[in-house]
Amino acid sequence: MGKSKRNSPKPGGNRAQRLAERKAALEQAAQSVSRPFEGLAAECDLVALREFVPSATAELKLAPGVAAERQVVLATVLPGAVAALVRAGDQPSGFVGAQMQFHGADPGADLAAAILWTQSAEPGDSLSSVESVAGGPRLADVIDAGAQLDLTVHQDFDWWVPEGVQPDPQVAATIEQAKQAIMPSARLALGPDSVGAAWWVDAGEKAHIRWVRPENEDDLMLALARLHAAGGLHLGEGSRFAGSFRTHGVLVPVFDLDPEQHAEEWTKPAKEFGVRLVEALATDAPLTADERRSRDGLRSRQVTLR
């Protein structure tokens, strides 16, 4: 008996297209790098810049073996969400975007390819998408893996236009539109002994701190559960733990905050929470019944971005 073709998708049909798209998505997921910025001192800030910081820049320190023809600035997002551009001037400079419109399975390799492109591209050129390839340069091969980012946080996008240059009306309108949508943000200055990257944002009705942490996700979840059961999972009065999200192989605890308080006012409570969290991470005793219930509850409020 011949094989039935009843369930075979008709070429060119909607079902065939959906199956092809699903297959492509599964193939891309299989190739995805689970923790693309692992091993970099700036891992937590790179995750923050890529996922939720609206406007920030940092000059990159390239690896010793990279022939650096011009300086490179990492930015949260560039005009048109392009991957990179080269700004003309007496000394042309490269800009690469953490939040690019088109990207591949390895965000670190995408950034590496964009950085290398800026070194040979013509001033005024832009790169809409990158073509990082398997086995190509990783980000740790292109930037100094031990260097932190010296960040400048902006409350607008005026830096899209070089100083002294008058933008054309269309560009000016785009900048103004982006400025209207931006949320005030700041990186908490918690000192050299702090772990991860804690970012404050005023979202209007509420403010939040999103704290990107480098620890193993399971270990961090257990520590958060211990603090929750002990009543210590907070940043003091006017705060509450909202949940966490997983992205790029790390866990990001999120706290809702009183929006009437400024970012600087959360520095001391955040430092105190950081100490409690480090102590909880150092505990290896089996979870108590209360701690297990806390862990299960915290996991149910966890969201995976990618």
Side-chain angles (χ1 to χ4, degrees):
M1 180 180 292
K3 185 177 179 181
S4 171
K5 297 183 179 180
R6 178 178 298 175
N7 294 321
S8 299
K10 184 185 298 184
N14 288 338
R15 182 165 177 249
Q17 181 179 348
R18 289 197 302 269
L19 289 173
E21 290 173 349
R22 182 182 178 190
K23 180 180 179 182
L26 290 173
E27 288 176 350
Q28 180 172 350
Q31 297 169 0
S32 295
V33 177
S34 61
R35 193 167 176 175
F37 306 119
E38 186 175 15
L40 298 172
E43 177 185 22
C44 293
D45 278 316
L46 287 168
V47 170
L49 295 182
R50 182 171 172 80
E51 290 305 319
F52 56 79
V53 176
S55 184
T57 54
E59 183 175 344
L60 291 174
K61 185 176 181 182
L62 301 188
V66 176
E69 299 296 326
R70 51 180 66 124
Q71 76 169 59
V72 183
V73 175
L74 173 66
T76 47
V77 63
L78 297 172
V82 298
L85 57 83
V86 175
R87 183 175 287 179
D90 294 337
Q91 293 183 323
S93 55
F95 283 74
V96 294
Q99 302 168 26
M100 52 185 81
Q101 185 174 5
F102 305 105
H103 54 80
D106 184 348
D110 290 349
L111 272 178
I115 291 167
L116 294 175
W117 175 87
T118 65
Q119 299 305 295
S120 57
E122 293 294 323
D125 284 354
S126 63
L127 180 68
S128 60
S129 62
V130 290
E131 297 181 359
S132 59
V133 296
R138 301 293 303 278
L139 190 54
D141 302 324
V142 176
I143 67 171
D144 184 344
Q148 297 282 357
L149 296 180
D150 185 8
L151 285 155
T152 300
V153 182
H154 307 273
Q155 305 306 330
D156 53 40
F157 290 96
D158 290 346
W159 55 269
W160 277 359
V161 179
E163 188 175 350
V165 174
Q166 184 67 32
D168 63 50
Q170 184 177 357
V171 172
T174 301
I175 292 175
E176 185 61 29
Q177 184 179 11
K179 188 186 300 185
Q180 295 300 321
I182 201 170
M183 295 179 183
S185 300
R187 190 188 191 282
L188 295 192
L190 302 182
D193 296 328
S194 66
V195 178
W199 285 83
W200 171 91
V201 61
D202 181 355
E205 292 185 3
K206 292 180 182 178
H208 311 283
I209 282 178
R210 303 174 179 122
W211 199 329
V212 187
R213 303 288 305 194
E215 294 91 355
N216 173 275
E217 292 180 63
D218 292 334
D219 293 343
L220 182 56
M221 180 55 68
L222 293 183
L224 293 174
R226 294 183 195 279
L227 290 181
H228 183 270
L233 188 53
H234 58 78
L235 299 181
E237 185 178 354
S239 75
R240 75 174 188 87
F241 181 73
S244 59
F245 61 88
R246 302 170 62 247
T247 184
H248 302 306
V250 297
L251 196 62
V252 185
V254 180
F255 298 88
D256 288 344
L257 309 173
D258 178 357
E260 295 300 318
Q261 295 182 249
H262 298 98
E264 297 80 6
E265 296 177 76
W266 294 105
T267 299
K268 185 174 182 291
K271 286 181 178 180
E272 293 170 349
F273 170 76
V275 172
R276 294 198 300 273
L277 184 56
V278 168
E279 292 173 350
L281 282 161
T283 303
D284 57 5
L287 294 182
T288 65
D290 285 344
E291 290 169 344
R292 287 196 299 272
R293 282 192 292 271
S294 290
R295 177 199 60 194
D296 295 342
L298 295 179
R299 282 178 173 169
S300 70
R301 295 154 66 186
Q302 191 179 81
V303 176
T304 299
L305 298 185
R306 60 169 59 86

mmCIF file of all heavy atoms in Angstrom, residues 52 126 287:
data_model
loop_
_atom_site.group_PDB
_atom_site.id
_atom_site.type_symbol
_atom_site.label_atom_id
_atom_site.label_comp_id
_atom_site.label_asym_id
_atom_site.label_seq_id
_atom_site.Cartn_x
_atom_site.Cartn_y
_atom_site.Cartn_z
ATOM 1 N N PHE A 52 17.417 46.525 27.546
ATOM 2 C CA PHE A 52 16.448 47.481 28.092
ATOM 3 C C PHE A 52 16.951 48.898 28.328
ATOM 4 O O PHE A 52 16.139 49.787 28.590
ATOM 5 C CB PHE A 52 15.844 46.942 29.397
ATOM 6 C CG PHE A 52 16.848 46.588 30.458
ATOM 7 C CD1 PHE A 52 17.436 47.558 31.239
ATOM 8 C CD2 PHE A 52 17.197 45.267 30.686
ATOM 9 C CE1 PHE A 52 18.359 47.234 32.230
ATOM 10 C CE2 PHE A 52 18.105 44.913 31.676
ATOM 11 C CZ PHE A 52 18.686 45.911 32.446
ATOM 12 N N SER A 126 27.016 53.057 6.445
ATOM 13 C CA SER A 126 26.332 52.383 7.541
ATOM 14 C C SER A 126 26.107 50.929 7.159
ATOM 15 O O SER A 126 26.035 50.584 5.978
ATOM 16 C CB SER A 126 24.995 53.069 7.869
ATOM 17 O OG SER A 126 24.112 52.986 6.769
ATOM 18 N N LEU A 287 17.418 23.407 51.149
ATOM 19 C CA LEU A 287 16.316 24.349 51.325
ATOM 20 C C LEU A 287 15.327 23.820 52.353
ATOM 21 O O LEU A 287 15.021 22.635 52.395
ATOM 22 C CB LEU A 287 15.591 24.582 49.999
ATOM 23 C CG LEU A 287 16.343 25.279 48.870
ATOM 24 C CD1 LEU A 287 15.421 25.449 47.665
ATOM 25 C CD2 LEU A 287 16.879 26.632 49.306
#
